[in-house]
Amino acid sequence: MFARKIVAGAVLAATLPMGAAWAAANDTLIYCTVASPESFNPQLASSGPTFIATSQMLYNRLVILKDSDKTAAPSLATAWDISPDGKTYTFTLRKGVKFNSNKYFTPTRDFNADDVIFTVMRQKDSNNPYYKVSGGSYEYFHDLGLGELIKDVKKIDDYHVQFVLNKPNAAFLNDWSMDFASILSKEYADAMLKKGTPENVDNWPIGTGPYALQQYKVDSLIRYVANPHYWKNPVVTKHVIFSIVPDVQTRLAKLQKNECQIIPAPVPTQFDTIKQDKDLALHNIDGLNVGYLAFNTEKKPFDNPKVRQALNYAVDKKAIINAVFMGTGTPAKSMLPPAMLGYNQDVKDYDYDPQKAKALLKQAGLENGFETDLWSMPVQRPYNPNSRRVAEMIQSDWAKVGVKAKIVSYEWGEYLVGLRKGEHSTALYGWISDNGDPDNFANVLLSCDAIKSGSNAARWCNSDYDALVNKALLTTTPASRAKLYQQAQVIFHNDAPWIPLANGKIFYATRSSVKGYVVDVNGSDFSQARW
């Protein structure tokens, strides 16, 4: 896992006392996170725990999303102008924004257009001196097709930058609210390149966000200190510690003992315990997400739509929702969440029908069944709070129609790498919206291009589906876009590259005394949190 590659320069010898009394005396809030970050540069990452620890603590982006309607609002960009043909975006940048400093570098200037251009070109230009630093895998940038979409990025002056696109793209503005679009310091990058230590940009980041990295001890803790010059508002709590606690039961125990004040992703079986404790509080928000099982359509017998349809009929989705989600999720039938633009209400979900499943398997020449692997995620997510249990229930359902599934799992980083390489036959996975746009699901997860980038876990390519999704990106009228996505969902349903399983609420728990901590479409905001 990438996190293990960055610790040599990042670990300090000292460890921190983690008791609640120490935290209170030192103006410190402790968050029990689920995993070590893949990197401290969100351009190089793809997991939620990494984004919380990096982009949402250390950086800002050009825009944020309004929680109400998922449209773009100002952040490091205060305004923008879009040309009539939809191919030129001119951003006005915020003045007076300070970068943090660290032991390697102290900035001499404020944020400006040079930083935006460096952030883009590091990911786009293979000849950029930073392109291959830390492995050079910019998954989100390339999953969204931005390398081909962006024709040029121009500096008009220090506080105006212009993006020229090769074609219109209706999701482009929202894309710049995403974690991978966090703005890095070009001045810091130039200085580290000159010193011969460019990896410091990723291992010891400098951003404009509410906190600066102070210490990292792999698989143990991350310590942050407040940015005294944060442009948005004064940061309330001086220190935040991320205590890395992979086990869900241990996280709750630490919350109960006040060894941490916030935990993400409690599982439904813990809800009653949390609700009955006057010192704890359970919170939830509606999530734009979908949990699913992906068939690797490049492997037999999953290259046959009849097999994929059969195994959709073979799964008792409602039983899974009742047993695992316990009221926190609803059955999914699409690649889009129900609250998203273009969701097709009229598509009829696959019923639970083992007899129809057997009939389809017989038509596919598999009357006697077959064997397969079934990958189960090692982490809890809002769209799948207990992957092992879901896998066991699917395994049991498939066995009733003659399909023997062997459940396997891997460490999370290894799981993600294997999934992107297509090593699985079937795999549980899911997605949480990054930018509030349907393209973030329909294109990123299921387009033909997304096979090459690795985000299409089904490795499914349908030219008719692709044509609709690509046309939707060129369409600026919401109603017209919605119709195209609705048509695409019919193709998706009939070809069945997934078993869509659930759309889940996002839950987190805190000590009752915690105030000001925000979880919304932009992620986790600790800047006003206190207890």
Side-chain angles (χ1 to χ4, degrees):
M1 190 173 177
F2 189 79
R4 299 188 183 278
K5 298 179 184 178
I6 67 177
V7 297
V11 177
L12 298 181
T15 57
L16 296 176
M18 298 295 288
W22 180 89
N26 288 272
D27 190 19
T28 298
L29 185 145
I30 302 173
Y31 173 84
C32 279
T33 188
V34 305
S36 292
E38 302 162 79
S39 166
F40 279 104
N41 179 353
Q43 296 174 334
L44 301 165
S46 61
S47 71
T50 296
F51 292 147
I52 295 172
T54 61
S55 55
Q56 295 162 32
M57 294 293 289
L58 305 170
Y59 299 98
N60 297 116
R61 288 146 293 286
L62 291 178
V63 298
I64 59 172
L65 298 183
K66 296 177 185 176
D67 200 40
S68 56
D69 61 4
K70 315 302 182 290
T71 58
S75 183
L76 290 181
T78 58
W80 46 88
D81 178 73
I82 306 172
S83 64
D85 65 1
K87 294 197 290 187
T88 302
Y89 288 69
T90 305
F91 290 91
T92 300
L93 305 181
R94 189 176 299 277
K95 296 181 179 179
V97 176
K98 309 291 183 185
F99 279 97
N100 278 302
S101 60
N102 63 22
K103 64 182 181 180
Y104 298 108
F105 183 73
T106 299
T108 65
R109 64 163 176 81
D110 293 348
F111 155 75
N112 67 27
D114 292 332
D115 304 307
V116 178
I117 293 172
F118 169 70
T119 296
V120 177
M121 297 309 292
R122 172 176 177 172
Q123 299 176 86
K124 174 178 169 59
D125 182 8
S126 60
N127 293 317
N128 186 287
Y130 269 87
Y131 186 83
K132 294 181 180 179
V133 172
S134 302
S137 176
Y138 306 103
E139 295 177 1
Y140 269 80
F141 188 85
H142 293 298
D143 286 351
L144 293 169
L146 293 176
E148 295 75 29
L149 178 65
I150 298 171
K151 181 178 182 180
D152 198 7
V153 190
K154 302 177 182 179
K155 177 181 178 179
I156 298 174
D157 58 40
D158 278 353
Y159 293 100
H160 291 87
V161 64
Q162 189 173 84
F163 288 76
V164 181
L165 309 185
N166 283 308
K167 58 185 178 181
N169 184 295
F172 182 75
L173 185 59
N174 278 25
D175 286 345
W176 293 98
S177 70
M178 293 170 62
D179 298 271
F180 81 90
S182 297
I183 303 300
L184 279 61
S185 166
K186 183 180 188 299
E187 187 187 22
Y188 180 38
D190 288 346
M192 294 302 100
L193 193 65
K194 187 175 181 180
K195 288 184 177 181
T197 56
E199 66 279 358
N200 284 345
V201 171
D202 302 329
N203 296 348
W204 279 103
I206 285 179
T208 61
Y211 287 90
L213 179 66
Q214 193 171 38
Q215 179 190 22
Y216 175 45
K217 185 175 176 63
V218 70
D219 294 338
S220 178
L221 61 86
I222 313 167
R223 182 175 178 177
Y224 305 89
V225 62
N227 176 0
H229 308 294
Y230 188 42
W231 61 270
K232 196 171 184 179
N233 44 46
V235 178
V236 172
T237 299
K238 185 175 182 180
H239 298 284
V240 171
I241 293 173
F242 278 32
S243 178
I244 299 166
V245 186
D247 182 71
V248 65
Q249 300 299 340
T250 305
R251 288 199 297 274
L252 178 56
K254 284 182 172 288
L255 184 70
Q256 290 170 317
K257 291 185 285 188
N258 203 17
E259 293 179 2
C260 57
Q261 288 77 52
I262 304 171
I263 63 170
V267 294
T269 53
Q270 297 175 329
F271 290 174
D272 284 344
T273 299
I274 296 169
K275 291 176 182 178
Q276 292 168 11
D277 189 328
K278 64 180 178 57
D279 293 323
L280 306 182
L282 182 67
H283 313 266
N284 73 82
I285 63 170
D286 291 328
L288 288 175
N289 60 52
V290 61
Y292 59 90
L293 180 137
F295 299 109
N296 188 338
T297 61
E298 292 181 343
K299 291 186 176 181
K300 291 185 178 298
F302 302 111
D303 58 340
N304 187 336
K306 290 187 184 297
V307 174
R308 304 193 298 262
Q309 293 167 0
L311 295 188
N312 266 273
Y313 281 118
V315 171
D316 190 347
K317 196 178 299 183
K318 290 181 180 177
I320 290 173
I321 298 296
N322 291 335
V324 177
F325 288 80
M326 300 171 64
T328 69
T330 55
K333 63 178 181 178
S334 168
M335 71 282 193
L336 297 183
M340 186 156 276
L341 174 74
Y343 180 76
N344 194 333
Q345 296 277 6
D346 297 329
V347 169
K348 187 180 184 300
D349 199 5
Y350 288 89
D351 296 322
Y352 174 52
D353 192 335
Q355 294 308 311
K356 189 172 289 187
K358 289 179 180 179
L360 283 167
L361 288 173
K362 184 176 181 180
Q363 291 176 32
L366 295 167
E367 184 176 5
N368 296 321
F370 61 93
E371 296 182 2
T372 185
D373 60 51
L374 198 174
W375 285 28
S376 173
M377 301 185 303
V379 295
Q380 298 85 34
R381 287 290 182 269
Y383 52 73
N384 191 338
N386 189 335
S387 181
R388 180 73 190 191
R389 181 67 179 128
V390 171
E392 289 170 348
M393 294 185 74
I394 292 173
Q395 179 188 51
S396 175
D397 285 343
W398 284 356
K400 295 171 186 174
V401 298
V403 175
K404 297 179 180 179
K406 179 183 178 182
I407 298 172
V408 295
S409 191
Y410 303 93
E411 180 270 334
W412 185 223
E414 188 178 356
Y415 191 96
L416 294 172
V417 169
L419 210 61
R420 298 184 79 85
K421 290 181 178 179
E423 295 173 355
H424 60 291
S425 295
T426 73
L428 291 169
Y429 199 40
W431 199 254
I432 300 174
S433 176
D434 297 295
N435 65 2
D437 192 275
D439 179 72
N440 190 231
F441 289 82
N443 193 339
V444 171
L445 300 181
L446 289 159
S447 70
C448 299
D449 283 344
I451 298 174
K452 293 178 285 186
S453 66
S455 61
N456 183 343
R459 308 186 74 80
W460 175 69
C461 179
N462 182 295
S463 58
D464 293 333
Y465 174 93
D466 252 33
L468 289 166
V469 169
N470 288 330
K471 186 176 180 180
L473 266 184
L474 301 174
T475 304
T476 57
T477 307
S480 298
R481 290 189 78 203
K483 290 180 181 178
L484 294 167
Y485 287 119
Q486 287 165 358
Q487 294 171 46
Q489 283 164 86
V490 174
I491 296 172
F492 165 83
H493 172 79
N494 292 338
D495 224 28
W498 294 359
I499 301 177
L501 292 170
N503 308 113
K505 288 182 176 291
I506 296 173
F507 284 83
Y508 62 99
T510 67
R511 299 291 298 180
S512 299
S513 55
V514 170
K515 308 294 181 187
Y517 173 64
V518 175
V519 179
D520 60 19
V521 69
N522 298 293
S524 295
D525 184 356
F526 289 83
S527 66
Q528 300 303 293
R530 64 192 187 281
W531 67 287

